[in-house]
Amino acid sequence: MLKDITLGQFFPGNTVIHRLDPRTKLLAVVFYIAALFTAKWFVSYGLVLAFLLLCIHLSQVPFKSLVKGLRPVLFILAFTAILNLFYTPGRTLWHWWIFTVTIEGIFTAFFMLLRITMLIMGTFLLTYTTSPIALTDGLESLLGPLKKLHAPVHELSMMMSIALRFIPTLIEETDKIMSAQKARGADFESGSLIQKAKALIPILVPLFISAFRRADELATAMECRCYHGGDGRTKLHVLRYQGRDYGASAALAALLAAVIVLRQFGL
Amino acid sequence: MSNIIETKGLTFSYPQEEGEAVTLALNGVELSIERGSFVVILGHNGSGKSTLAKHFNAVLLPTGGQVLVEGLDTADEALLLEIRRRVGMVFQNPDNQIVANVVEEDVAFGPENLGVPTEEIRARVDAALRSVGMEPFTLHAPHMLSGGQKQRIAIAGVLAMEPGCIVLDEATAMLDPSGRREVLEAVERMNREKGITILLITHHMDEAVNASRVIVMDHGQVALDGPPKAVLPQVDRLRELGLTAPATVELLSRLRRDGWQVPLDALSVEDCAAAILAGLAK
């Protein structure tokens, strides 16, 4: 069950998408989300979807693992779809008790479903194809101007990259603790919701203790490797915009522009 | 200057609760570590060996006495980076010292902190990974590697800072036998080929066999100090200090007790076998 959490995973590779500058990719995701929320009808959704599928194809990320990433939000997906399906005013198709299905409702529910799915897949594609360090480097660089206002940009990006680095380690550890507690007769599956929540305490307490110990050791190890904050730090990978970054930015801008124009025509 | 690290009357006590008696974790340690040597520091749990190791690059600062790294006093905060650049440290748990999600970026962490120019970082990372034999894993995710491989990445990370000395603080304790061998081979090669001083803290006696010097710690003091052939055959003294002699020495000492004429200082398995053969021929 814990293996299903895919957030923050990275599929190393050497495709065009992988090689794009993380700043380009971050901005691209912003543009992509903007386009997604501007899209109104089949044509514009189709355009954005085609773009997403093209990116997935180029990135060589297995489609299956992107679909797997949707599993944790299945409930939200179903919830939004049902709400939209039954509670959108419009031409009634079918009515029973407090449930009314309208033509508009069907469309809205469908588009909502599509929108959330594509939103998650798009953002996952970013984390799947960008190493967390590149991602935080990108964020640090994009937020760089805030340093002038004494915002702790470097510290934040360092915290983020360490958090991402430790997700798989802590997941593994949680699995181990769960097995250990099960071996001592702990029961995580049966009982009411409250009992289930209570059963989590013997997992969370050791997990937290070990996380603090890890943090302490990591801090010492970082200091031993001369870490002293962001001042005077150089980089193995210096971010430089390449031709492909301008190409990708142009493609994204074109996508957004096309969707905005299509919206004007109600498509 | 032939000594890379010197301690002078080093004492240290961990901070204690009020009213508790002061226990010295280190009590007057006088050591000179020669440049290019391979020193193994042994001792049972709580003997002060790890505490001593943490003084070599100013993770801990002495409560009394001095630690000098290439003549630099570790108590001087202005010299902190210089000292840590010269003495690298590898810790016990491989998971808790890897900072980055990609092997090469983790190895680059040290030089990045030191402000090394980008092209040189690249060269250093490649060289460091090559010398620990982890080149094929340059772009791998560290959490997918085995314990021995992770430790070699950690060593490469230290190596990329181009230190004169590497301290391994029980770096082999959590590894399986093959992982331990991988790490030891990498460390021995660095000592041999690059002349990097190695300080190996361990409680595995057999790791001391190939060292150039063995130091045994007990109650915060140096109990035994000398070449392995002088220290390891002292079976009874080692037992008093909470250690067991290597299996080879143990075997030879039992044979001697049974009246065999064998030397005690045949430490490696091959030497031991040869010694027993010679004993049989008599």
Side-chain angles (χ1 to χ4, degrees), chain B residues 179-251:
Chain B
R180 265 174 61 199
R181 201 162 44 243
E182 282 171 31
V183 169
L184 286 174
E185 273 167 15
V187 171
E188 279 168 11
R189 196 166 53 241
M190 266 181 296
N191 177 251
R192 209 169 45 233
E193 289 170 8
K194 296 184 202 283
I196 295 174
T197 313
I198 304 288
L199 282 163
L200 184 71
I201 317 310
T202 183
H203 52 250
H204 289 292
M205 295 299 285
D206 43 340
E207 289 173 13
V209 170
N210 294 323
S212 57
R213 178 177 172 191
V214 179
I215 295 168
V216 181
M217 295 290 295
D218 186 49
H219 289 103
Q221 285 171 318
V222 176
L224 293 171
D225 184 357
K229 283 194 186 243
V231 173
L232 297 180
Q234 302 184 36
V235 183
D236 297 330
R237 181 80 178 106
L238 285 174
R239 196 169 296 136
E240 273 171 41
L241 298 169
L243 298 167
T244 43
T248 46
V249 176
E250 193 71 39
L251 172 64

Coordinates of all heavy atoms in Angstrom, one line a residue, chain B residues 179-251:
Chain B
G179 N 29.6 -6.0 1.5 CA 29.7 -4.6 1.6 C 30.9 -4.1 2.3 O 31.5 -3.1 1.9
R180 N 31.2 -4.7 3.4 CA 32.4 -4.3 4.2 C 33.6 -4.4 3.4 O 34.5 -3.6 3.4 CB 32.5 -5.2 5.4 CG 31.9 -4.6 6.6 CD 31.9 -5.6 7.8 NE 33.3 -6.0 8.1 CZ 33.6 -7.1 8.8 NH1 32.6 -7.9 9.2 NH2 34.8 -7.4 9.1
R181 N 33.7 -5.6 2.6 CA 34.9 -5.8 1.8 C 35.0 -4.7 0.7 O 36.1 -4.1 0.5 CB 34.9 -7.2 1.2 CG 36.2 -7.7 0.8 CD 36.3 -9.2 0.6 NE 35.1 -9.7 -0.1 CZ 34.2 -10.5 0.4 NH1 34.3 -11.0 1.6 NH2 33.2 -10.9 -0.3
E182 N 33.9 -4.4 0.1 CA 33.9 -3.3 -0.9 C 34.5 -2.0 -0.4 O 35.3 -1.4 -1.0 CB 32.5 -3.0 -1.4 CG 31.8 -4.0 -2.3 CD 30.3 -3.6 -2.5 OE1 30.0 -2.4 -2.4 OE2 29.5 -4.5 -2.8
V183 N 34.0 -1.6 0.8 CA 34.4 -0.4 1.4 C 35.8 -0.4 1.8 O 36.6 0.5 1.5 CB 33.5 0.0 2.6 CG1 34.0 1.1 3.4 CG2 32.0 0.2 2.1
L184 N 36.3 -1.5 2.4 CA 37.6 -1.6 2.8 C 38.6 -1.6 1.7 O 39.6 -0.9 1.7 CB 37.9 -2.9 3.6 CG 37.3 -2.8 5.1 CD1 37.4 -4.2 5.7 CD2 38.0 -1.7 5.9
E185 N 38.2 -2.3 0.6 CA 39.1 -2.3 -0.6 C 39.2 -0.9 -1.1 O 40.3 -0.4 -1.5 CB 38.6 -3.2 -1.7 CG 39.0 -4.6 -1.5 CD 38.3 -5.6 -2.3 OE1 37.6 -5.2 -3.2 OE2 38.4 -6.8 -2.0
A186 N 38.1 -0.1 -1.2 CA 38.2 1.2 -1.8 C 39.1 2.1 -0.9 O 39.9 2.9 -1.4 CB 36.7 1.8 -1.8
V187 N 38.9 2.0 0.4 CA 39.7 2.8 1.3 C 41.2 2.4 1.3 O 42.0 3.3 1.2 CB 39.1 2.6 2.8 CG1 40.1 3.3 3.8 CG2 37.8 3.2 2.9
E188 N 41.5 1.1 1.2 CA 42.9 0.7 1.1 C 43.5 1.2 -0.1 O 44.7 1.7 -0.1 CB 43.0 -0.8 1.2 CG 42.9 -1.3 2.7 CD 42.7 -2.8 2.8 OE1 42.8 -3.5 1.7 OE2 42.4 -3.3 3.9
R189 N 42.8 1.2 -1.2 CA 43.3 1.7 -2.5 C 43.6 3.2 -2.4 O 44.7 3.6 -2.9 CB 42.3 1.4 -3.6 CG 43.0 1.5 -5.0 CD 42.1 0.8 -6.1 NE 40.8 1.4 -6.1 CZ 39.7 0.6 -5.9 NH1 39.8 -0.6 -5.7 NH2 38.5 1.2 -6.0
M190 N 42.7 3.9 -1.8 CA 43.0 5.4 -1.7 C 44.2 5.7 -0.9 O 45.0 6.6 -1.2 CB 41.8 6.0 -1.1 CG 40.8 6.5 -2.1 SD 39.5 7.3 -1.3 CE 38.8 6.0 -0.4
N191 N 44.4 4.9 0.2 CA 45.6 5.1 1.0 C 46.8 4.7 0.2 O 47.8 5.5 0.3 CB 45.4 4.2 2.2 CG 46.6 4.2 3.1 OD1 47.4 3.3 3.2 ND2 46.8 5.3 3.8
R192 N 46.8 3.7 -0.5 CA 48.0 3.2 -1.3 C 48.3 4.1 -2.4 O 49.4 4.5 -2.6 CB 47.7 1.8 -1.8 CG 48.9 0.9 -1.9 CD 48.5 -0.5 -2.2 NE 47.4 -0.6 -3.2 CZ 46.2 -1.3 -3.0 NH1 46.0 -1.9 -1.8 NH2 45.3 -1.4 -3.9
E193 N 47.2 4.5 -3.2 CA 47.5 5.2 -4.5 C 47.6 6.7 -4.3 O 48.3 7.3 -5.0 CB 46.4 4.8 -5.5 CG 46.6 3.4 -6.0 CD 45.4 2.9 -6.8 OE1 44.5 3.7 -7.2 OE2 45.3 1.7 -7.1
K194 N 46.8 7.2 -3.5 CA 46.7 8.7 -3.3 C 47.4 9.2 -2.1 O 47.6 10.4 -1.9 CB 45.3 9.2 -3.3 CG 44.5 8.9 -4.6 CD 43.2 9.6 -4.5 CE 42.2 9.0 -5.5 NZ 42.3 9.4 -6.9
G195 N 47.8 8.2 -1.2 CA 48.5 8.6 0.0 C 47.7 9.4 1.0 O 48.1 10.1 1.8
I196 N 46.3 9.1 0.9 CA 45.4 9.8 1.8 C 45.5 9.0 3.2 O 45.4 7.8 3.2 CB 44.0 9.7 1.3 CG1 43.9 10.6 0.0 CG2 43.0 10.2 2.3 CD1 42.6 10.6 -0.7
T197 N 45.6 9.8 4.2 CA 45.6 9.2 5.6 C 44.3 8.6 5.9 O 43.3 9.3 5.7 CB 46.0 10.3 6.6 OG1 47.1 11.0 6.1 CG2 46.3 9.6 7.9
I198 N 44.2 7.4 6.4 CA 42.9 6.8 6.7 C 42.9 6.5 8.2 O 43.8 6.0 8.8 CB 42.7 5.5 6.0 CG1 42.8 5.7 4.5 CG2 41.4 4.8 6.3 CD1 41.7 6.4 3.8
L199 N 41.8 7.0 8.8 CA 41.5 6.6 10.2 C 40.2 5.8 10.3 O 39.2 6.3 10.0 CB 41.3 7.9 11.1 CG 42.6 8.6 11.4 CD1 42.3 10.0 11.9 CD2 43.3 7.9 12.5
L200 N 40.4 4.5 10.5 CA 39.2 3.6 10.5 C 38.8 3.3 11.9 O 39.6 2.6 12.6 CB 39.6 2.4 9.7 CG 38.5 1.3 9.4 CD1 37.5 1.9 8.4 CD2 39.2 0.1 8.9
I201 N 37.6 3.7 12.3 CA 37.1 3.4 13.6 C 36.2 2.2 13.4 O 35.3 2.2 12.6 CB 36.2 4.5 14.2 CG1 36.8 5.9 14.0 CG2 35.9 4.3 15.6 CD1 38.0 6.3 14.3
T202 N 36.5 1.1 14.2 CA 35.7 -0.1 14.0 C 35.7 -1.0 15.2 O 36.5 -0.7 16.2 CB 36.3 -0.9 12.8 OG1 35.5 -2.0 12.6 CG2 37.7 -1.3 13.1
H203 N 34.8 -2.0 15.3 CA 35.0 -3.0 16.3 C 35.2 -4.3 15.7 O 35.2 -5.4 16.4 CB 33.9 -3.0 17.3 CG 32.5 -3.0 16.7 ND1 31.6 -2.0 16.7 CD2 31.9 -4.0 16.0 CE1 30.6 -2.3 16.1 NE2 30.7 -3.6 15.6
H204 N 35.5 -4.4 14.4 CA 35.8 -5.6 13.7 C 37.3 -5.8 13.7 O 38.0 -5.0 13.0 CB 35.3 -5.6 12.2 CG 33.9 -5.7 12.1 ND1 33.2 -6.8 12.4 CD2 32.9 -4.8 11.7 CE1 31.9 -6.6 12.2 NE2 31.7 -5.4 11.8
M205 N 37.8 -6.7 14.5 CA 39.3 -6.9 14.7 C 40.0 -7.2 13.3 O 41.1 -6.7 13.1 CB 39.5 -8.0 15.6 CG 39.1 -7.8 17.0 SD 39.9 -6.4 17.7 CE 41.5 -7.0 18.1
D206 N 39.3 -8.0 12.5 CA 40.0 -8.4 11.3 C 40.3 -7.2 10.3 O 41.1 -7.3 9.5 CB 39.2 -9.5 10.5 CG 37.7 -9.2 10.5 OD1 37.3 -8.4 11.4 OD2 37.0 -9.7 9.7
E207 N 39.6 -6.1 10.5 CA 39.9 -4.9 9.7 C 41.2 -4.3 10.1 O 41.7 -3.5 9.3 CB 38.7 -3.9 9.8 CG 37.5 -4.4 9.1 CD 36.3 -3.5 9.3 OE1 36.4 -2.4 9.8 OE2 35.1 -3.9 9.0
A208 N 41.7 -4.6 11.3 CA 42.9 -4.0 11.7 C 44.2 -4.7 11.2 O 45.3 -4.2 11.2 CB 43.0 -4.1 13.3
V209 N 44.0 -5.9 10.6 CA 45.1 -6.8 10.2 C 46.1 -6.1 9.2 O 47.3 -6.1 9.4 CB 44.6 -8.1 9.6 CG1 45.7 -8.9 9.0 CG2 43.9 -8.9 10.8
N210 N 45.5 -5.4 8.2 CA 46.3 -4.7 7.2 C 46.7 -3.3 7.5 O 47.2 -2.6 6.7 CB 45.6 -4.8 5.9 CG 45.4 -6.2 5.4 OD1 46.3 -7.0 5.6 ND2 44.3 -6.5 4.8
A211 N 46.4 -2.8 8.7 CA 46.6 -1.4 9.0 C 48.1 -1.2 9.2 O 48.9 -2.1 9.3 CB 45.9 -1.0 10.3
S212 N 48.6 0.1 9.2 CA 50.0 0.3 9.5 C 50.1 0.6 11.0 O 51.2 0.6 11.5 CB 50.5 1.5 8.7 OG 49.7 2.7 8.9
R213 N 49.0 0.9 11.6 CA 49.0 1.2 13.1 C 47.7 0.9 13.7 O 46.6 1.1 13.1 CB 49.4 2.7 13.3 CG 49.5 3.1 14.7 CD 49.9 4.6 14.7 NE 49.8 5.2 16.0 CZ 49.9 6.5 16.3 NH1 50.1 7.3 15.2 NH2 49.9 7.0 17.5
V214 N 47.7 0.3 14.9 CA 46.4 0.0 15.6 C 46.4 0.7 16.9 O 47.4 0.7 17.7 CB 46.3 -1.5 15.8 CG1 45.0 -1.8 16.6 CG2 46.3 -2.3 14.5
I215 N 45.3 1.4 17.2 CA 45.2 2.1 18.5 C 44.0 1.5 19.2 O 42.9 1.4 18.6 CB 45.0 3.6 18.3 CG1 46.2 4.2 17.7 CG2 44.6 4.3 19.6 CD1 46.1 5.7 17.2
V216 N 44.1 1.0 20.4 CA 43.0 0.5 21.1 C 42.6 1.5 22.2 O 43.4 1.9 23.0 CB 43.3 -0.9 21.8 CG1 42.1 -1.4 22.5 CG2 43.7 -1.8 20.7
M217 N 41.3 1.9 22.2 CA 40.9 2.9 23.2 C 40.2 2.2 24.4 O 39.5 1.1 24.2 CB 39.9 3.8 22.6 CG 40.4 4.8 21.5 SD 41.5 6.0 22.2 CE 40.4 7.0 23.1
D218 N 40.3 2.7 25.6 CA 39.5 2.2 26.7 C 39.4 3.3 27.7 O 40.3 4.0 28.1 CB 40.3 1.0 27.3 CG 39.5 0.3 28.4 OD1 38.3 0.0 28.2 OD2 40.0 0.1 29.5
H219 N 38.1 3.4 28.2 CA 37.8 4.5 29.2 C 38.4 5.9 28.8 O 38.9 6.6 29.6 CB 38.3 4.1 30.6 CG 37.5 3.0 31.2 ND1 38.0 1.7 31.2 CD2 36.3 3.0 31.7 CE1 37.0 0.9 31.7 NE2 36.0 1.7 32.0
G220 N 38.3 6.2 27.5 CA 38.7 7.5 27.1 C 40.2 7.7 27.0 O 40.7 8.8 27.0
Q221 N 40.9 6.6 27.1 CA 42.4 6.7 27.0 C 42.9 5.7 26.0 O 42.3 4.8 25.7 CB 43.0 6.5 28.4 CG 42.8 7.6 29.4 CD 43.3 7.3 30.7 OE1 43.0 6.2 31.2 NE2 43.9 8.2 31.4
V222 N 44.1 6.0 25.5 CA 44.8 5.1 24.6 C 45.3 3.9 25.5 O 46.2 4.2 26.3 CB 45.9 5.8 23.8 CG1 46.6 4.8 23.0 CG2 45.3 6.9 23.0
A223 N 44.8 2.7 25.2 CA 45.3 1.6 26.0 C 46.4 0.9 25.3 O 47.4 0.5 26.0 CB 44.1 0.6 26.2
L224 N 46.3 0.7 24.0 CA 47.4 0.0 23.3 C 47.6 0.8 22.0 O 46.7 1.4 21.4 CB 47.0 -1.4 22.9 CG 46.8 -2.4 24.0 CD1 46.2 -3.7 23.4 CD2 48.2 -2.7 24.6
D225 N 48.9 0.9 21.6 CA 49.2 1.7 20.4 C 50.4 1.1 19.7 O 51.4 0.9 20.4 CB 49.4 3.1 20.8 CG 49.7 4.0 19.6 OD1 49.7 3.5 18.4 OD2 49.8 5.2 19.8
G226 N 50.3 0.7 18.5 CA 51.5 0.1 17.8 C 51.1 -0.5 16.5 O 49.9 -0.5 16.1
P227 N 52.1 -1.1 15.8 CA 51.7 -1.9 14.6 C 50.9 -3.1 14.9 O 51.0 -3.6 16.0 CB 53.1 -2.2 14.0 CG 54.1 -2.1 15.1 CD 53.5 -1.1 16.1
P228 N 50.1 -3.6 14.0 CA 49.2 -4.7 14.3 C 49.9 -5.9 14.8 O 49.4 -6.6 15.7 CB 48.5 -5.0 12.9 CG 49.0 -4.0 11.9 CD 49.9 -3.0 12.6
K229 N 51.1 -6.2 14.3 CA 51.9 -7.3 14.8 C 52.2 -7.3 16.2 O 52.5 -8.3 16.9 CB 53.1 -7.6 13.9 CG 52.7 -8.2 12.6 CD 53.9 -8.7 11.8 CE 53.5 -9.2 10.4 NZ 53.7 -10.6 10.2
A230 N 52.3 -6.0 16.8 CA 52.6 -5.9 18.2 C 51.4 -5.9 19.1 O 51.4 -6.3 20.2 CB 53.4 -4.6 18.4
V231 N 50.3 -5.3 18.5 CA 49.1 -5.1 19.3 C 48.2 -6.4 19.3 O 47.7 -6.8 20.3 CB 48.3 -3.9 18.8 CG1 46.9 -3.8 19.6 CG2 49.1 -2.6 19.0
L232 N 47.9 -6.9 18.1 CA 46.9 -7.9 18.0 C 47.2 -9.2 18.7 O 46.3 -9.9 19.2 CB 46.5 -8.1 16.5 CG 45.9 -6.9 15.8 CD1 45.6 -7.2 14.4 CD2 44.6 -6.4 16.6
P233 N 48.5 -9.6 18.8 CA 48.8 -10.9 19.5 C 48.6 -10.8 21.0 O 48.7 -11.9 21.6 CB 50.3 -11.1 19.1 CG 50.5 -10.4 17.9 CD 49.7 -9.1 18.0
Q234 N 48.3 -9.7 21.6 CA 48.2 -9.6 23.0 C 46.8 -10.0 23.4 O 45.9 -9.3 23.9 CB 48.4 -8.2 23.5 CG 49.8 -7.6 23.1 CD 50.0 -6.2 23.7 OE1 49.6 -5.9 24.8 NE2 50.7 -5.4 22.9
V235 N 46.5 -11.3 23.3 CA 45.2 -11.9 23.4 C 44.5 -11.6 24.7 O 43.4 -11.1 24.8 CB 45.2 -13.4 23.2 CG1 43.8 -14.0 23.3 CG2 45.9 -13.8 21.9
D236 N 45.3 -11.8 25.8 CA 44.7 -11.6 27.2 C 44.4 -10.1 27.4 O 43.4 -9.8 28.0 CB 45.6 -12.1 28.2 CG 45.8 -13.6 28.1 OD1 44.9 -14.3 27.6 OD2 46.9 -14.1 28.4
R237 N 45.4 -9.2 27.0 CA 45.2 -7.8 27.3 C 44.0 -7.3 26.5 O 43.1 -6.5 27.0 CB 46.4 -7.1 26.8 CG 46.4 -5.6 27.0 CD 46.7 -5.2 28.4 NE 46.7 -3.7 28.5 CZ 45.7 -3.0 29.1 NH1 44.6 -3.6 29.6 NH2 45.8 -1.7 29.2
L238 N 43.8 -7.8 25.2 CA 42.7 -7.4 24.4 C 41.4 -7.8 25.1 O 40.4 -7.1 25.1 CB 42.8 -8.0 23.0 CG 43.8 -7.4 22.1 CD1 43.9 -8.2 20.8 CD2 43.4 -5.9 21.8
R239 N 41.4 -9.0 25.6 CA 40.2 -9.5 26.3 C 39.8 -8.6 27.5 O 38.6 -8.3 27.7 CB 40.3 -11.0 26.7 CG 39.0 -11.7 27.0 CD 39.2 -13.2 27.2 NE 39.6 -13.8 25.9 CZ 40.5 -14.7 25.9 NH1 41.2 -15.1 27.0 NH2 40.9 -15.3 24.7
E240 N 40.8 -8.2 28.2 CA 40.6 -7.3 29.3 C 39.9 -6.0 28.8 O 39.1 -5.4 29.5 CB 41.9 -6.9 30.0 CG 42.4 -7.8 31.0 CD 43.9 -7.4 31.4 OE1 44.1 -6.2 31.5 OE2 44.7 -8.3 31.6
L241 N 40.3 -5.6 27.6 CA 39.7 -4.3 27.1 C 38.4 -4.5 26.4 O 37.9 -3.6 25.7 CB 40.7 -3.7 26.1 CG 42.1 -3.4 26.7 CD1 43.1 -3.0 25.6 CD2 41.9 -2.2 27.7
G242 N 37.8 -5.7 26.5 CA 36.5 -6.0 25.9 C 36.6 -6.3 24.5 O 35.6 -6.2 23.8
L243 N 37.7 -6.8 24.0 CA 37.8 -7.1 22.6 C 38.3 -8.6 22.4 O 38.9 -9.1 23.3 CB 38.8 -6.2 21.9 CG 38.5 -4.7 21.8 CD1 39.7 -3.9 21.4 CD2 37.4 -4.4 20.9
T244 N 38.0 -9.2 21.3 CA 38.6 -10.5 21.0 C 39.6 -10.4 19.9 O 39.4 -9.6 19.0 CB 37.5 -11.5 20.6 OG1 36.6 -10.8 19.7 CG2 36.7 -12.0 21.8
A245 N 40.7 -11.1 20.1 CA 41.7 -11.1 19.1 C 41.2 -11.6 17.7 O 40.2 -12.4 17.8 CB 42.9 -11.9 19.5
P246 N 41.8 -11.3 16.6 CA 41.3 -11.9 15.3 C 41.4 -13.4 15.4 O 42.2 -14.0 16.1 CB 42.3 -11.3 14.3 CG 43.1 -10.3 15.0 CD 42.9 -10.4 16.4
A247 N 40.5 -14.0 14.6 CA 40.4 -15.5 14.6 C 41.7 -16.2 14.4 O 42.0 -17.2 15.0 CB 39.4 -15.9 13.5
T248 N 42.6 -15.6 13.6 CA 43.9 -16.2 13.3 C 44.7 -16.3 14.6 O 45.3 -17.3 14.9 CB 44.7 -15.5 12.2 OG1 44.6 -14.1 12.5 CG2 44.1 -15.7 10.8
V249 N 44.8 -15.1 15.3 CA 45.6 -15.0 16.5 C 45.0 -16.0 17.6 O 45.7 -16.6 18.3 CB 45.6 -13.6 17.0 CG1 46.4 -13.5 18.3 CG2 46.3 -12.7 15.9
E250 N 43.7 -16.0 17.6 CA 43.0 -16.8 18.6 C 43.4 -18.3 18.4 O 43.7 -19.0 19.4 CB 41.5 -16.6 18.4 CG 40.6 -17.2 19.5 CD 40.7 -16.4 20.8 OE1 40.7 -15.1 20.7 OE2 40.7 -17.0 21.9
L251 N 43.4 -18.7 17.1 CA 43.7 -20.1 16.8 C 45.2 -20.4 17.2 O 45.5 -21.4 17.9 CB 43.5 -20.3 15.3 CG 44.0 -21.6 14.7 CD1 43.2 -22.8 15.3 CD2 43.9 -21.6 13.2

